[in-house]
Amino acid sequence: MRWHRQILLVAVLFGAVICRAGTANDYFKVGLEMSGAGQLPEAAMAFEKSAQMQPASGTLVNLGIAEWRRGRAGAAILAWEKARWIDPFDSRAGADLKFARTAAQVDEPELKWFETASTWLPPNAWAWLAGASLWLAVGLLVLPGIFRRRKAGWHSPLAALAFGIFLFTLTANVGVVSRTQIGFVLKKNAPLLLTPTRTGEVISTLTAGEPARQLRSRGNFLFIRTQTESGWIGRDAFGLVGD
Amino acid sequence: MLAFALAVGRAQLSTRIPPGAAAQFMVPQPAVDNSPPENILATAEFDPPVVRPGEKTFYRVTITATENSIKWPDKIPAPPELRLGAVARGQLTQPDGMPFHPVSGFVYEITALALGHFVVSNFVVQVGGSSVEVPPASVDVDGHGVTLPARKLSLEVSETNLFFGQPFRVRVILPAAPGNQIEALRDVQFNGDALLADRLATRRSVETVNRGGQLMPAFIFETAATPLVTGRLNISAQGFTAGSEFGGPVVISGPVMFPSGPPKYVLLVSDWVGLNVRPLPSEGQRPGFTGAIGKFLADRPQLSTNRIHVGEPVHLKFAFHGQGDLTRFVPPELPRTSDWQVIADNPPDNGFTLIPLTDEIQATPAIPFSCFDPSAAKYVDLTIPSLPVTVVGEDLPLQLAASDDEAGSAAPLKLSGLALMPGKTVASLKPLQLRGWFVGVQLVPVMVFFALWQWDRRRRFLEAHPEIVRRRQARRALRYERRQLKIAVEAGDSAAFVSHAADAMRIAVAPQYPANPVALVGGDVLAQFDDAARHGPAGVTVRKIFAAADEQFSIGAKGRADLLALHFEVDAVLLELEEKL
C-alpha cells in the first residue's frame, strides 16, 4: 500500500508539472499568434504569462521583441537580460540586447570580475558544480579509506582539481548572488528621488533600460545606484533580473 | 403650444464711448436719472380701498428713488384699528425712456380690526439727505359694502418636504387683471430664510390657471431654488407689475390680452409658504458625491477609441438623466491619477478628455460619483466604471541605419526573429544559491559521509570483538530453530522436534567455547549448567533430547509422543541458555 501511495504521489506531481508546462506552452503559442497579427500588447501579455508559469529563454526573447515593438525599451531589455540569465549561450538574446542598447543609447551594466565569470554558465549550473566538485574532492579523499581500497595514483590529482574547481565556483556563485541585485529602469524618464516619498525631490530622470544596482528597499521604493548617481525609485519603475 | 419671444423695450440708442474707456464697457448702458431730489415723487394707496372687517388690504407706497437712498421709518402713522404686518420692499430699474428712472415700493399687509374710515396720515421719509413727503391714504372698513379682492401673487413650490441642497421648482403666478389683461412681472424676488434662487434657469409663460374654481390666464415666472439651511423655512415672493414690458422671451398658451398704454409699476407680494428642510443623512454617503440630489440614471460611458498612443487624447463621454433638476447638476470631479492627464469638458457638455501618460495603463480610471435620491432617502452609486484601453508606447526603431554602427559596436542592424520554441527552461529565475532547499540538498552528502564513517567505526569495533558477532549470529540462529521447533510440535513431528531441539541447544552454547555447533554434543550443553541444574530437570531434558537424537529411528510411537510432550521443558532450557548469550 505504501508503494502504491508513493507511485500515486509521484504521478500527481508529474502530472502537475506536465499541466503547468502545457499551459505555459499554450500561452507561448498564443503570443506567437498575437505577434503575427500585430497585436503586440496582447502578445506581450501572453509571453509574460508563459514566462511567469515557466521561465524560458525563448519565451523571454519573444517577450522582449514584443515589448520593444510596442515601444517599451526598459521592459524589452529586462526580458532579454532574463533570457540571458537563463541561458547565457542564447545568441538571439545577446544580439537583441546589443541592438537595443545601441538604439536606445543605454549602457550595459558594469560587472565586477567575479560577476563576469558568473556569466559563463547559467546561475544554477554554478551551484550544482560547486556542490559536485566539493563532494567529489571529499569523496576521493575519504572513500578509499572507508571501503579499504588502495588509493590510486589519480585519486589525489583529481581531488585537487575538484577542490580547485570548487574554489573557483565559490567566486562565481558570489557573482551570481551579486548579479541578482542588478536591475533595469522600466519606465521612460523615471524620476530618481532624493527621498522614498511620492513628493520627494527629483535628482534626475532615468532612461528606460538603464542599468542600476538595488542597494536597499523601503515601502514602495528601492534605493538604487546607477553608474553615475544614487537615489530612490518606485518599485514599478525598476525590474530585477532575478525576480 | 405657441411659443414666441417678445423683444420688448426701446431700441438701443447709439452711445458714444469715450476713447480710452471703451474697454470698460461690454454693453452700452443707459444714463441714470440724476435729477435733483425735489423731483422725487411719492404715492400711497390702499389696495383694495374698501374691505370688510378682518379682511386684508395692502398699504403700498411708491417712491421714484433707489431703495438704498430711502431711510424708511420703523413705524408709520397708522391708526390702531389697522394691524400692520411686515413690510416688503423692492426696487425696479425702470427702463421706461431716458434717462433711467428708479422706482422703489414698500408694501404692508394690513388687517382691518374695526369698522370705519381709517387714514394713514402723511409722513416724511429721508431720501438721500432730503425730505420727501408721503401723502396720506385711506381705507374704508365696511361691513356691508362690496369689496374687491386684494391683488397679490401666488407662490407654488414643487416640494414642501425637502432635503438640504435639494433643488425644487418655484412658480410665481400673477393672475390676470380685471378684463383678463395679462401683465408682465418684473424683478421677482424671494423673501425668506437662506434660499438660493436660480436667476439663470428661469422661465416666463402665460398659461391658464385655476383660481377658486375659475379658469383664468396668468403670467407665470418659474425658476429653481435651493434651500441652504435645515428646519422649518418660510418663503414668499414679490415682484413689480410691468404692463406689457416682459423683458425677455415668454411662452404663451391660448389667447391673451395685453394692456395698452404705459405700464404701472406696482409692487405685489405673495403669501408665505412653509418648507420643511431636512439635513442629508451622513451615513451611507458614497464617494464622489458632489451635491446632486434627485433620481438620476447614468448611461454607459463611451470612449472615443480604446487603442491609443502615449500622449494621445481620448474622449470619455458620459451622460446622466433623470427626474432631478439638472440645472444645478454638478458633474463628477476630476479624478486624480498619476497615469492620466484629465481635462473636463466645458459645460454643458459632460465628459473628460483623458491623455495617457504611460503605456502601463490598461483601463481608464474609475470616476467615483453618486447622488442622493430624496424619494428613497439614500445615496445611489453612479460611479463611471473604468473602461479597458490599450496604450501603445513610443515608436522604437526596428532597424538601425548602417551609419549608426560606425563606432564599431558590432551591434546587429535589426532585431532577431521570434523564437518558435520556448527554449531552455528553469523552474524559477531565483538562483539556487538563494533557495533554502538547495542548502538542504547539500546536507545529503554530509549525512552520507557521516553514515559511512559510523559504519566504518562499527566495523572496526566488531573486528576487534568477534564474540559479539558470534553471539549475535547464535541468537539469530536460535530464533530460527525455535520457530522450527514450534512448527514441529504443531505438526506432531517428533523426529524434527528432537533434531531442532538438539541443534538449538548446540547453537545456544557454541559461542561459549567458541566452537562450531555441529561439533558439540550433549555433554557440552550440560557443561553450561551448574551442578544443580545439570542434575535437575534441565539436565534430564538435555539428556533425553540428545539421547533421542541419537536413537530417533528406533523409538516407538509412544516414545515419540513422550518426546513431543517435552517441548515446554525444551523451551525452558533454551530460555536459560539464551540468557547466557
Short mmCIF file of all heavy atoms in Angstrom, two decimals, chain A residues 134-135 138-139 142-143 146-147, chain B residues 437-456:
data_model
loop_
_atom_site.label_atom_id
_atom_site.label_comp_id
_atom_site.label_asym_id
_atom_site.label_seq_id
_atom_site.Cartn_x
_atom_site.Cartn_y
_atom_site.Cartn_z
N LEU A 134 32.93 19.89 -4.72
CA LEU A 134 33.31 19.76 -3.31
C LEU A 134 33.21 18.33 -2.85
O LEU A 134 34.14 17.76 -2.26
CB LEU A 134 32.42 20.67 -2.46
CG LEU A 134 32.59 20.48 -0.95
CD1 LEU A 134 33.98 20.92 -0.51
CD2 LEU A 134 31.54 21.25 -0.17
N TRP A 135 32.08 17.70 -3.13
CA TRP A 135 31.87 16.35 -2.60
C TRP A 135 32.68 15.31 -3.37
O TRP A 135 33.02 14.26 -2.82
CB TRP A 135 30.38 16.01 -2.59
CG TRP A 135 29.64 16.94 -1.68
CD1 TRP A 135 28.64 17.78 -2.01
CD2 TRP A 135 29.88 17.12 -0.29
NE1 TRP A 135 28.23 18.51 -0.92
CE2 TRP A 135 28.99 18.11 0.16
CE3 TRP A 135 30.78 16.57 0.63
CZ2 TRP A 135 28.95 18.55 1.48
CZ3 TRP A 135 30.73 17.01 1.94
CH2 TRP A 135 29.83 17.99 2.36
N VAL A 138 36.01 15.60 -1.59
CA VAL A 138 35.90 14.95 -0.27
C VAL A 138 35.79 13.44 -0.42
O VAL A 138 36.45 12.66 0.31
CB VAL A 138 34.69 15.52 0.50
CG1 VAL A 138 34.46 14.73 1.78
CG2 VAL A 138 34.90 16.98 0.81
N GLY A 139 35.03 13.00 -1.38
CA GLY A 139 34.84 11.56 -1.61
C GLY A 139 36.14 10.89 -2.01
O GLY A 139 36.47 9.79 -1.53
N VAL A 142 38.24 10.52 1.09
CA VAL A 142 37.73 9.75 2.24
C VAL A 142 37.31 8.33 1.87
O VAL A 142 37.61 7.38 2.61
CB VAL A 142 36.53 10.53 2.85
CG1 VAL A 142 35.83 9.70 3.91
CG2 VAL A 142 37.01 11.85 3.43
N LEU A 143 36.65 8.17 0.76
CA LEU A 143 36.02 6.89 0.47
C LEU A 143 37.01 5.72 0.31
O LEU A 143 36.69 4.61 0.77
CB LEU A 143 35.14 7.01 -0.79
CG LEU A 143 33.89 7.87 -0.59
CD1 LEU A 143 33.07 7.93 -1.87
CD2 LEU A 143 33.04 7.32 0.54
N ILE A 146 37.55 4.30 3.67
CA ILE A 146 36.36 3.66 4.26
C ILE A 146 36.13 2.30 3.64
O ILE A 146 35.84 1.31 4.35
CB ILE A 146 35.14 4.57 4.08
CG1 ILE A 146 35.29 5.82 4.97
CG2 ILE A 146 33.84 3.85 4.40
CD1 ILE A 146 34.18 6.82 4.82
N PHE A 147 36.27 2.25 2.32
CA PHE A 147 36.00 0.99 1.63
C PHE A 147 37.24 0.12 1.51
O PHE A 147 37.22 -0.90 0.81
CB PHE A 147 35.41 1.27 0.24
CG PHE A 147 34.04 1.89 0.30
CD1 PHE A 147 33.79 3.15 -0.21
CD2 PHE A 147 32.99 1.21 0.89
CE1 PHE A 147 32.55 3.72 -0.15
CE2 PHE A 147 31.73 1.78 0.95
CZ PHE A 147 31.51 3.03 0.45
N TRP B 437 16.05 25.18 -0.06
CA TRP B 437 16.09 23.73 -0.26
C TRP B 437 17.42 23.28 -0.85
O TRP B 437 17.85 22.14 -0.61
CB TRP B 437 14.92 23.28 -1.13
CG TRP B 437 14.97 23.72 -2.57
CD1 TRP B 437 14.37 24.79 -3.12
CD2 TRP B 437 15.68 23.07 -3.64
NE1 TRP B 437 14.64 24.88 -4.45
CE2 TRP B 437 15.46 23.82 -4.80
CE3 TRP B 437 16.49 21.94 -3.74
CZ2 TRP B 437 15.98 23.49 -6.03
CZ3 TRP B 437 17.03 21.60 -4.98
CH2 TRP B 437 16.77 22.37 -6.11
N PHE B 438 18.07 24.17 -1.59
CA PHE B 438 19.35 23.76 -2.17
C PHE B 438 20.40 23.58 -1.08
O PHE B 438 21.22 22.66 -1.14
CB PHE B 438 19.79 24.81 -3.19
CG PHE B 438 21.05 24.41 -3.92
CD1 PHE B 438 21.02 23.43 -4.91
CD2 PHE B 438 22.27 24.97 -3.60
CE1 PHE B 438 22.17 23.05 -5.57
CE2 PHE B 438 23.43 24.59 -4.26
CZ PHE B 438 23.38 23.63 -5.24
N VAL B 439 20.33 24.44 -0.08
CA VAL B 439 21.24 24.28 1.06
C VAL B 439 20.94 22.95 1.75
O VAL B 439 21.86 22.23 2.18
CB VAL B 439 21.08 25.46 2.04
CG1 VAL B 439 21.98 25.25 3.25
CG2 VAL B 439 21.42 26.76 1.34
N GLY B 440 19.65 22.61 1.82
CA GLY B 440 19.28 21.31 2.41
C GLY B 440 19.82 20.15 1.61
O GLY B 440 20.28 19.13 2.18
N VAL B 441 19.80 20.29 0.29
CA VAL B 441 20.34 19.21 -0.54
C VAL B 441 21.82 19.02 -0.27
O VAL B 441 22.33 17.87 -0.29
CB VAL B 441 20.08 19.54 -2.04
CG1 VAL B 441 20.89 18.63 -2.94
CG2 VAL B 441 18.61 19.40 -2.35
N GLN B 442 22.53 20.09 0.02
CA GLN B 442 23.97 19.97 0.29
C GLN B 442 24.24 19.20 1.60
O GLN B 442 25.35 18.72 1.81
CB GLN B 442 24.60 21.36 0.38
CG GLN B 442 24.52 22.15 -0.91
CD GLN B 442 25.00 21.36 -2.12
OE1 GLN B 442 26.12 20.84 -2.14
NE2 GLN B 442 24.13 21.22 -3.12
N LEU B 443 23.22 19.07 2.43
CA LEU B 443 23.39 18.30 3.67
C LEU B 443 23.34 16.80 3.41
O LEU B 443 23.82 16.02 4.23
CB LEU B 443 22.30 18.69 4.68
CG LEU B 443 22.40 20.11 5.23
CD1 LEU B 443 21.22 20.39 6.15
CD2 LEU B 443 23.71 20.28 6.00
N VAL B 444 22.78 16.41 2.28
CA VAL B 444 22.65 14.98 1.99
C VAL B 444 24.03 14.31 1.88
O VAL B 444 24.28 13.28 2.53
CB VAL B 444 21.80 14.76 0.71
CG1 VAL B 444 21.82 13.29 0.29
CG2 VAL B 444 20.38 15.22 0.95
N PRO B 445 24.96 14.86 1.08
CA PRO B 445 26.30 14.22 1.06
C PRO B 445 26.97 14.22 2.43
O PRO B 445 27.66 13.25 2.78
CB PRO B 445 27.09 15.09 0.09
CG PRO B 445 26.08 15.81 -0.72
CD PRO B 445 24.88 15.96 0.12
N VAL B 446 26.74 15.26 3.20
CA VAL B 446 27.32 15.30 4.54
C VAL B 446 26.80 14.11 5.35
O VAL B 446 27.57 13.40 6.04
CB VAL B 446 26.96 16.63 5.23
CG1 VAL B 446 27.46 16.62 6.67
CG2 VAL B 446 27.58 17.79 4.48
N MET B 447 25.50 13.91 5.25
CA MET B 447 24.91 12.81 6.01
C MET B 447 25.41 11.46 5.51
O MET B 447 25.65 10.53 6.29
CB MET B 447 23.38 12.89 5.92
CG MET B 447 22.80 14.11 6.63
SD MET B 447 21.10 14.45 6.20
CE MET B 447 20.31 13.02 6.84
N VAL B 448 25.57 11.33 4.22
CA VAL B 448 26.08 10.06 3.65
C VAL B 448 27.48 9.78 4.17
O VAL B 448 27.79 8.66 4.61
CB VAL B 448 26.04 10.13 2.12
CG1 VAL B 448 26.80 8.95 1.52
CG2 VAL B 448 24.60 10.15 1.62
N PHE B 449 28.34 10.80 4.12
CA PHE B 449 29.70 10.61 4.60
C PHE B 449 29.72 10.31 6.10
O PHE B 449 30.51 9.49 6.57
CB PHE B 449 30.54 11.85 4.31
CG PHE B 449 31.04 11.87 2.89
CD1 PHE B 449 30.56 12.79 1.98
CD2 PHE B 449 32.00 10.96 2.47
CE1 PHE B 449 31.01 12.80 0.68
CE2 PHE B 449 32.46 10.97 1.16
CZ PHE B 449 31.96 11.89 0.26
N PHE B 450 28.86 10.93 6.84
CA PHE B 450 28.79 10.66 8.27
C PHE B 450 28.36 9.22 8.53
O PHE B 450 28.92 8.52 9.39
CB PHE B 450 27.81 11.64 8.93
CG PHE B 450 27.70 11.48 10.41
CD1 PHE B 450 28.70 11.96 11.26
CD2 PHE B 450 26.61 10.82 10.98
CE1 PHE B 450 28.59 11.80 12.63
CE2 PHE B 450 26.51 10.64 12.35
CZ PHE B 450 27.50 11.15 13.18
N ALA B 451 27.38 8.79 7.74
CA ALA B 451 26.90 7.41 7.91
C ALA B 451 28.01 6.42 7.56
O ALA B 451 28.20 5.40 8.25
CB ALA B 451 25.67 7.18 7.03
N LEU B 452 28.75 6.71 6.50
CA LEU B 452 29.85 5.82 6.13
C LEU B 452 30.91 5.77 7.23
O LEU B 452 31.47 4.71 7.54
CB LEU B 452 30.47 6.31 4.82
CG LEU B 452 29.66 6.02 3.54
CD1 LEU B 452 30.28 6.73 2.36
CD2 LEU B 452 29.57 4.52 3.30
N TRP B 453 31.18 6.90 7.82
CA TRP B 453 32.18 6.95 8.89
C TRP B 453 31.73 6.12 10.08
O TRP B 453 32.49 5.35 10.65
CB TRP B 453 32.38 8.42 9.28
CG TRP B 453 33.30 8.60 10.44
CD1 TRP B 453 34.62 8.26 10.50
CD2 TRP B 453 32.97 9.17 11.69
NE1 TRP B 453 35.14 8.58 11.72
CE2 TRP B 453 34.14 9.15 12.49
CE3 TRP B 453 31.81 9.71 12.24
CZ2 TRP B 453 34.16 9.64 13.77
CZ3 TRP B 453 31.85 10.20 13.52
CH2 TRP B 453 33.01 10.17 14.28
N GLN B 454 30.45 6.25 10.43
CA GLN B 454 29.91 5.47 11.55
C GLN B 454 29.96 3.98 11.26
O GLN B 454 30.28 3.16 12.13
CB GLN B 454 28.46 5.91 11.83
CG GLN B 454 28.35 7.25 12.50
CD GLN B 454 28.89 7.23 13.93
OE1 GLN B 454 28.74 6.25 14.65
NE2 GLN B 454 29.57 8.30 14.32
N TRP B 455 29.61 3.67 10.02
CA TRP B 455 29.64 2.25 9.62
C TRP B 455 31.05 1.69 9.73
O TRP B 455 31.27 0.58 10.22
CB TRP B 455 29.11 2.15 8.19
CG TRP B 455 29.28 0.80 7.57
CD1 TRP B 455 28.55 -0.32 7.83
CD2 TRP B 455 30.28 0.42 6.62
NE1 TRP B 455 28.99 -1.37 7.09
CE2 TRP B 455 30.06 -0.94 6.33
CE3 TRP B 455 31.31 1.08 5.98
CZ2 TRP B 455 30.86 -1.64 5.42
CZ3 TRP B 455 32.08 0.38 5.07
CH2 TRP B 455 31.86 -0.96 4.81
N ASP B 456 32.05 2.44 9.30
CA ASP B 456 33.44 2.01 9.36
C ASP B 456 33.90 1.83 10.81
O ASP B 456 34.59 0.86 11.14
CB ASP B 456 34.30 3.04 8.63
CG ASP B 456 35.73 2.56 8.48
OD1 ASP B 456 35.93 1.40 8.04
OD2 ASP B 456 36.66 3.32 8.82
#
